[in-house]
Each structure stands twice: as structure tokens, then as C-alpha cells.
Amino acid sequence: MNGMNLNPKFCQCCGMPMGDTDELYGTNADGSKNEEYCKYCFENGAFTFHGTMEEMIEVCVPHMVEANPGMRVSRQSPNIRTSAAVCLAALCRDKMAAAGFICSLVITIISFVI
């Protein structure tokens, strides 16, 4: 195959693709690389982001739009926010927080439809 990684690594906090090298890996307290989290979310053995799931979505959405210039959605689009919420809900760090957030998101979406 053309050198494409079929099992890409994603930060288990923010969902950022971490590439094929350890350049974007976070660091443990002993300075070793942490393969689960990116350098923006995990540094020196501690998480750098301490916000809510909603706040993480607000951080991630502009980066998602920037990384995908073909997207034809605005930064205010509920579709990209829903995509970010679903992506973040699948990650390790915030599974419990995500479960509650997804339920409130579904209720909000349903209330707009009704």
C-alpha cells in the first residue's frame, strides 16, 4: 500500500490526528512520550485543558474548519458542532462527561425539530 497508515492515532482528549511520528505526543511526568494524548492536551503528566465538553467543542471547531477547507459550513453551524461532539464522545478522557452532553445535545436538537 502507498505508505498510508490504516490505524491513525488520535488524541484521546481533543481528537486531533497525531500523525505517524511522536512529534505531537504529550509528555508524562518523567518526560517520556505519551501516545494517548497530544502535546496540546497533556504536558508533564497533567492535562492542560480543564474545561467542559462544550468548551472543548468551542476550541476544536475552528481547528476542524481550518483543517478541512472544503467544508461548506460556517463556524456557527450546528452540524460541525454535532460532529465535534460525536467525535469527542468516542474518546477516552471524557466518556462520562460526553454521555451527559450528548443527551442534552439530542434533547436540544429534538426541541428545534418539534
Side-chain angles (χ1 to χ4, degrees), residues 54-73:
E54 291 91 345
E55 292 168 331
M56 178 60 86
I57 289 170
E58 292 306 313
V59 169
C60 291
V61 165
H63 298 290
M64 290 172 72
V65 171
E66 184 179 327
N68 298 286
M71 282 186 166
R72 301 219 185 269
V73 296

Side-chain angles (χ1 to χ4, degrees), residues 6-102:
L6 297 179
N7 294 308
K9 290 189 179 194
F10 296 90
C11 174
Q12 295 300 300
C13 181
C14 71
M16 181 180 80
M18 297 204 303
D20 294 329
T21 68
D22 66 358
E23 178 183 340
L24 294 175
Y25 289 1
T27 54
N28 296 312
D30 64 3
S32 63
K33 295 288 186 172
N34 185 297
E35 296 182 19
E36 299 293 317
Y37 303 106
C38 75
K39 66 182 183 179
Y40 304 109
C41 292
F42 197 74
E43 183 177 48
N44 299 320
F47 288 105
T48 59
F49 182 81
H50 301 287
T52 65
M53 178 68 75
E54 291 91 345
E55 292 168 331
M56 178 60 86
I57 289 170
E58 292 306 313
V59 169
C60 291
V61 165
H63 298 290
M64 290 172 72
V65 171
E66 184 179 327
N68 298 286
M71 282 186 166
R72 301 219 185 269
V73 296
S74 73
R75 291 180 189 268
Q76 302 303 315
S77 171
N79 292 336
I80 196 163
R81 286 182 177 7
T82 302
S83 296
V86 169
C87 175
L88 291 172
L91 303 175
C92 293
R93 180 173 183 210
D94 292 314
K95 285 209 189 259
M96 294 306 289
F101 177 75
I102 294 298

